[in-house]
Amino acid sequence: MKIAIVCYPTFGGSGVVATELGLELANRGHEIHFITYRQPVRLALLNSKVHYHEVNVPEYPLFHYQPYELALSSKLVDMVKLYKIELLHVHYAIPHAYAGYMAKQMLKDEGIILPMVTTLHGTDITLVGNHPFYKTAVSFSINKSDIVTSVSQSLKDDTYKLFNIKKEIHVIPNFIELDKIRNESQISCHRSVMAKKEERIITHISNFRKVKRIPDVIKIFYKIQQKIAAKLMMVGDGPEKLRAEQLCKELGIEDKVIFFGNSNEIDQILSYSDLFLLPSETESFGLAALEAMAWSVPVISSNSGGLPEVNFQGVSGYLSNVGDIDSMAENALKILSDDTTLVQFRESALNVAQQFDIKNILPLYEALYYEAINNSK
């Protein structure tokens, strides 16, 4: 198949998932065309099966906000005609599904039928899309898609609850590429850089937004380190970072917490981690938790959104109610206080992650692609 993929070219989960999906599809022989305003961050190496087309948005004094959707839909039409693209897969309902529908209509006028698959990732539904200014356009874009998928059952339920959706939504979870997970012997940095031999390493990775409940991460760790020797690795950047640093000082644990900022060494950090904290207000899926589990790191998380679909209670870790810091700290200590228990949870976390390997997930997308193409004939 010749497939065009539209996504946000960012470090965020949806951009990473879309890029990795496209690369794996190319490995399976499909011709993939990424169409976006900047080259996706993980699209480092192009090959004969992977192409990138930049969307340029001309600046005119007439427009206070430049019309990206118009530029994107026009670019889609041009690329479909030039490369004879057979299918469009857009990630995020707005603006991508909206622009995709406009491209479909323009192509239809020229006798070209372009089926469109739309994947819902979370923010496009629960935050941005639910705003009254966008709600009508989001409902329209989803209903006009040929196939709709969501990354969790929780997100699917939210979509039906928040919007007037008439389309069937297929749940296809996010994935991990276990073949890319390196053995510890291949890791360049040393554990001693982060912690002493006797200290447990606890990690949190996010964009440090309020929804991640960063103060809860610090408070949970504070309770843990009162009972056992431990260090906390805080990876990422965002509006809550300064507040977190200040909280560490107030609690007197600044010497036990390392703030890495946006790091390119996430794999190295996870390879030495003993526990992952994700006490978020909500997660549409919980990709960060899955990435930790792929490194055999058990997870302590909230039970909100799609997290129970990824982090299995008492198997890969534990789940607690949002904001229940005491429960999360207690569960963390259950895992960390005993070496034998920690090993068991490590093994179970990896076993759960294997269920989400891309080799298991990608065929689900391929089947829907063929269904969309066959239904459009």
Side-chain angles (χ1 to χ4, degrees), residues 155-219:
L155 180 60
K156 174 181 176 177
D157 294 341
D158 285 343
T159 304
Y160 282 130
K161 181 172 65 177
L162 296 172
F163 301 91
N164 181 24
I165 302 302
K166 301 178 178 66
K167 300 286 295 187
E168 178 183 1
I169 300 176
H170 304 264
V171 177
I172 301 183
N174 284 335
F175 51 80
I176 195 76
E177 293 187 83
L178 287 173
D179 285 347
K180 289 188 176 182
I181 299 298
R182 297 171 292 180
N183 294 325
E184 186 171 328
S185 60
Q186 297 173 289
I187 297 299
S188 57
C189 75
H190 299 285
R191 186 186 187 281
S192 58
V193 174
M194 294 183 284
K196 297 176 183 178
K197 185 177 180 180
E198 67 275 12
E199 292 175 321
R200 301 294 197 193
I201 295 178
I202 301 167
T203 300
H204 171 80
I205 302 171
S206 76
N207 54 19
F208 283 60
R209 291 185 294 127
K210 281 192 174 182
V211 70
K212 303 298 181 179
R213 298 185 70 92
I214 301 300
D216 285 7
V217 175
I218 304 298
K219 293 173 184 176

Side-chain angles (χ1 to χ4, degrees), residues 69-348:
E69 294 88 343
L70 180 61
L72 175 58
S73 59
S74 296
K75 186 73 173 184
L76 285 169
V77 169
D78 292 342
M79 295 302 99
V80 169
K81 291 162 63 176
L82 180 61
Y83 293 99
K84 295 180 170 50
I85 289 169
E86 303 168 84
L87 179 97
L88 173 62
H89 188 174
V90 299
H91 295 259
Y92 262 53
I94 54 171
H96 300 151
Y98 192 82
Y101 172 75
M102 295 307 299
K104 280 168 57 73
Q105 294 305 109
M106 287 187 277
L107 289 164
K108 187 177 180 180
D109 286 347
E110 300 187 35
I112 300 172
I113 303 300
L114 179 68
M116 180 173 72
V117 175
T118 296
T119 292
L120 311 176
H121 285 271
T123 306
D124 53 338
I125 297 302
T126 58
L127 185 60
V128 179
N130 194 38
H131 194 286
F133 290 169
Y134 300 114
K135 202 162 188 174
T136 301
V138 172
S139 296
F140 176 85
S141 300
I142 294 173
N143 284 323
K144 289 298 182 180
S145 301
D146 296 278
I147 299 283
V148 182
T149 75
S150 71
V151 298
S152 68
Q153 180 65 42
S154 172
L155 180 60
K156 174 181 176 177
D157 294 341
D158 285 343
T159 304
Y160 282 130
K161 181 172 65 177
L162 296 172
F163 301 91
N164 181 24
I165 302 302
K166 301 178 178 66
K167 300 286 295 187
E168 178 183 1
I169 300 176
H170 304 264
V171 177
I172 301 183
N174 284 335
F175 51 80
I176 195 76
E177 293 187 83
L178 287 173
D179 285 347
K180 289 188 176 182
I181 299 298
R182 297 171 292 180
N183 294 325
E184 186 171 328
S185 60
Q186 297 173 289
I187 297 299
S188 57
C189 75
H190 299 285
R191 186 186 187 281
S192 58
V193 174
M194 294 183 284
K196 297 176 183 178
K197 185 177 180 180
E198 67 275 12
E199 292 175 321
R200 301 294 197 193
I201 295 178
I202 301 167
T203 300
H204 171 80
I205 302 171
S206 76
N207 54 19
F208 283 60
R209 291 185 294 127
K210 281 192 174 182
V211 70
K212 303 298 181 179
R213 298 185 70 92
I214 301 300
D216 285 7
V217 175
I218 304 298
K219 293 173 184 176
I220 294 165
F221 173 73
Y222 178 73
K223 291 179 176 294
I224 294 171
Q225 59 86 40
Q226 288 180 317
K227 301 292 185 180
I228 61 173
K231 284 286 186 67
L232 175 62
M233 309 295 119
M234 297 290 285
V235 185
D237 203 353
E240 293 289 292
K241 184 182 177 184
L242 288 177
R243 182 184 175 193
E245 292 174 334
Q246 181 60 38
L247 182 57
C248 289
K249 291 179 181 178
E250 292 172 4
L251 294 173
I253 57 172
E254 64 266 35
D255 61 328
K256 297 182 180 181
V257 183
I258 300 175
F259 287 87
F260 286 89
N262 287 325
S263 174
N264 292 320
E265 298 181 328
I266 289 175
D267 288 342
Q268 287 90 332
I269 296 168
L270 287 175
S271 71
Y272 292 125
S273 297
D274 297 300
L275 191 72
F276 190 81
L277 298 181
L278 194 64
S280 305
E281 190 80 28
T282 187
E283 293 278 349
S284 60
F285 178 79
L287 186 59
L290 179 57
E291 289 177 338
M293 290 156 54
W295 279 103
S296 301
V297 182
V299 175
I300 296 295
S301 74
S302 59
N303 56 12
S304 180
L307 282 168
E309 300 174 48
V310 183
N311 183 22
F312 297 171
Q313 175 75 356
V315 180
S316 58
Y318 288 105
L319 301 110
S320 301
N321 291 334
V322 174
D324 194 342
I325 296 167
D326 290 338
S327 172
M328 292 183 189
E330 182 181 336
N331 287 332
L333 289 167
K334 286 180 186 177
I335 296 173
L336 296 174
S337 296
D338 177 74
D339 287 342
T340 302
T341 302
L342 176 56
V343 170
Q344 291 173 344
F345 270 93
R346 280 186 174 280
E347 292 174 352
S348 296

